[in-house]
Amino acid sequence: MRRVAGIGLWLLPAALLLTGCAAGEKHKTAREEGEQRWREVRARIKLQLAQRSFEARQLQAASEQCAEALALDAACLDAHLLMARIQLEEGELSRAQASVEAAAALAPEAAAVHHLRGLLAERRGDLASAADWQARASSADPDNLDYLLVYAQVLMRQGLFEQAAQALTPRLADFDQDPAIHVLMGQTAAMLGRRDEAARRYAAALRLQPENRLLREEAVEALLADGRCEEAVRAAEPLIGRNVEPFPTAVVARLVAGLLERDRADEAVRLLRRATGVRLSDPLLWRLLAQACLAAGDIDGAADPIARAMALDGGSPDTRLLLAYRLLLAGRARDAAREALALTATPTAAPAARAILEAAAAANSASSVRADRAGHPGECRPLVQGPQP
């Protein structure tokens, strides 16, 4: 018993010593925790600066600030994720992969980690893997619309438009106030040939973001493709008369064509006068205005637009054809024939030029007959009194 007690007494100082070490260690850990918290606060500040630099496209500064944040707190998940995004933007795929792996070690099932893995796979051309990762990202964070949209876009890049539509449609009710989902659904519907749905989706997006110029252009294209010319005109009008970031001339041309097909030449003239009022140096717009004037029966009104187009394009075949056609409509068949004859050697203009020549010849012949009738009424009476069709 004494032996046991002796052993216990012998062990007692050691136990006390260990207890003292533990107390000292606890005090040291508390101090270190305070220092760590301070380092984390400094890392967050650096990370915020890096995020701002990244958003401002100052990638070098963003990379340096993000590295400083990681030096202060190597376990900062957001810093690893941001570094991966920076390296992706710089095209440093191997370094971005390492940053993603570091983030995955901290949070292997984080939606942002899946998303970045998907972006890396897409950059490397592995679209199937990219779609799988983006599907996982969207599933892990269903409230993040960006993940859903990127997933649908990767599917579309593979030509899987129906699958993309199936991914987007059930989530429309959740994000119906965001124009981005309407735009992507519109693009998907257009690729599937669902023109009515595409037009409706673009119209919805435009109502949500009316100041977006590129969106307005796409909406006009979708509406035109669906034959909804009146809606397309209304969508285009706010941009038609702008000289800053003007509406593309090609889209204006399609709008005008749609109006002319519907016998709405006067409205085409109105739109084109607005367009040419601020874009004086675009010969195509002047030619379109001349064409619309002629379609509206304003032969005199087409003269100035044709002259302006001639001055701007040096008398291109298209402009000279318009001139010949206007001369024909104005009753100047000989002048029209002269202009058309010079264009018969131009392959692109030759068919229309020959048609004008034939019409001019017919007009000259009719004019000669009328002149003969006027000079010899007795001889012409049989022609006048001939059988009516």
Side-chain angles (χ1 to χ4, degrees):
M1 193 70 181
R2 285 179 188 166
R3 185 177 178 85
V4 173
I7 292 174
L9 290 172
W10 179 75
L11 288 173
L12 187 58
L16 290 172
L17 180 62
L18 289 172
T19 304
C21 286
E25 186 69 17
K26 185 182 292 183
H27 178 70
K28 183 178 180 182
T29 300
R31 183 172 63 249
E32 287 179 348
E33 285 178 354
E35 291 176 355
Q36 180 61 30
R37 283 194 296 272
W38 174 235
R39 289 168 67 86
E40 289 173 359
V41 169
R42 291 173 60 200
R44 285 288 168 187
I45 294 171
K46 290 289 185 182
L47 183 59
Q48 288 174 0
L49 293 173
Q51 183 66 43
R52 290 173 190 163
S53 296
F54 180 70
E55 291 170 357
R57 311 298 300 158
Q58 299 169 353
L59 299 183
Q60 182 62 36
S63 179
E64 292 171 359
Q65 292 157 348
C66 199
E68 291 173 3
L70 285 168
L72 290 165
D73 183 8
C76 181
L77 175 63
D78 289 341
H80 286 293
L81 294 172
L82 179 58
M83 183 63 87
R85 291 180 67 84
I86 294 168
Q87 290 160 344
L88 269 172
E89 288 294 316
E90 293 177 326
E92 299 284 349
L93 300 189
S94 296
R95 293 175 60 200
Q97 181 72 50
S99 295
V100 172
E101 295 303 332
L106 297 169
E109 295 304 318
V113 171
H114 297 327
H115 173 64
L116 285 169
R117 287 190 189 279
L119 293 181
L120 275 166
E122 188 175 359
R123 287 290 187 90
R124 288 171 172 151
D126 187 355
L127 296 181
S129 294
D132 181 60
W133 284 116
Q134 298 301 354
R136 293 176 65 177
S138 184
S139 178
D141 187 1
D143 293 330
N144 191 315
L145 176 59
D146 290 339
Y147 295 162
L148 174 64
L149 296 181
V150 172
Y151 172 47
Q153 287 170 333
V154 175
L155 291 173
M156 291 174 70
R157 284 192 60 191
Q158 298 177 81
L160 302 174
F161 302 112
E162 190 64 57
Q163 194 171 333
Q166 291 171 1
L168 292 167
T169 301
R171 305 304 311 280
L172 178 60
D174 299 324
F175 302 109
D176 65 337
Q177 294 305 302
D178 194 309
I181 192 169
H182 291 284
V183 170
L184 199 57
M185 289 183 71
Q187 292 174 345
T188 305
M191 296 305 296
L192 290 169
R194 300 168 184 167
R195 294 179 177 178
D196 178 65
E197 182 184 350
R200 285 189 290 106
R201 294 274 66 84
Y202 274 113
L206 193 57
R207 284 193 296 271
L208 292 167
Q209 199 172 32
E211 73 284 356
N212 188 316
R213 182 180 67 88
L214 293 177
L215 173 55
R216 191 169 288 276
E217 290 177 20
E218 289 193 42
V220 170
E221 294 275 22
L223 290 165
L224 281 173
D226 194 41
R228 295 157 71 166
C229 190
E230 289 87 359
E231 292 178 64
V233 169
R234 287 198 297 272
E237 276 193 289
L239 297 180
I240 290 291
R242 288 179 49 171
N243 55 1
V244 178
E245 294 185 334
F247 214 61
T249 301
V251 182
V252 177
R254 285 193 285 279
L255 275 173
V256 170
L259 289 170
L260 294 182
E261 287 172 3
R262 291 162 176 78
D263 296 323
R264 296 174 60 184
D266 290 337
E267 189 167 353
V269 170
R270 180 180 61 80
L271 283 179
L272 288 163
R273 290 205 184 281
R274 287 186 61 191
T276 54
V278 293
R279 296 162 65 183
L280 300 173
S281 59
D282 190 330
L284 176 54
L285 287 177
W286 289 110
R287 287 200 299 271
L288 288 170
L289 177 54
Q291 182 181 351
C293 286
L294 293 174
D298 186 2
I299 298 172
D300 291 337
D304 180 63
I306 290 173
R308 287 177 177 268
M310 291 279 283
L312 289 167
D313 63 17
S316 70
D318 288 338
T319 304
R320 292 175 65 191
L321 275 174
L322 271 175
L323 174 59
Y325 185 52
R326 180 192 169 275
L327 290 170
L328 180 67
L329 293 179
R332 297 168 58 183
R334 294 184 187 280
D335 293 334
R338 184 174 60 252
E339 290 290 339
L341 184 62
L343 293 169
T344 53
T346 304
T348 55
R354 284 193 289 269
I356 292 174
L357 276 174
E358 290 175 6
N364 282 327
S365 176
S367 177
S368 298
V369 168
R370 284 195 297 272
D372 288 344
R373 288 175 183 171
H376 308 280
E379 296 176 14
C380 292
R381 189 172 295 114
L383 294 175
V384 175
Q385 296 176 347
Q388 298 300 311

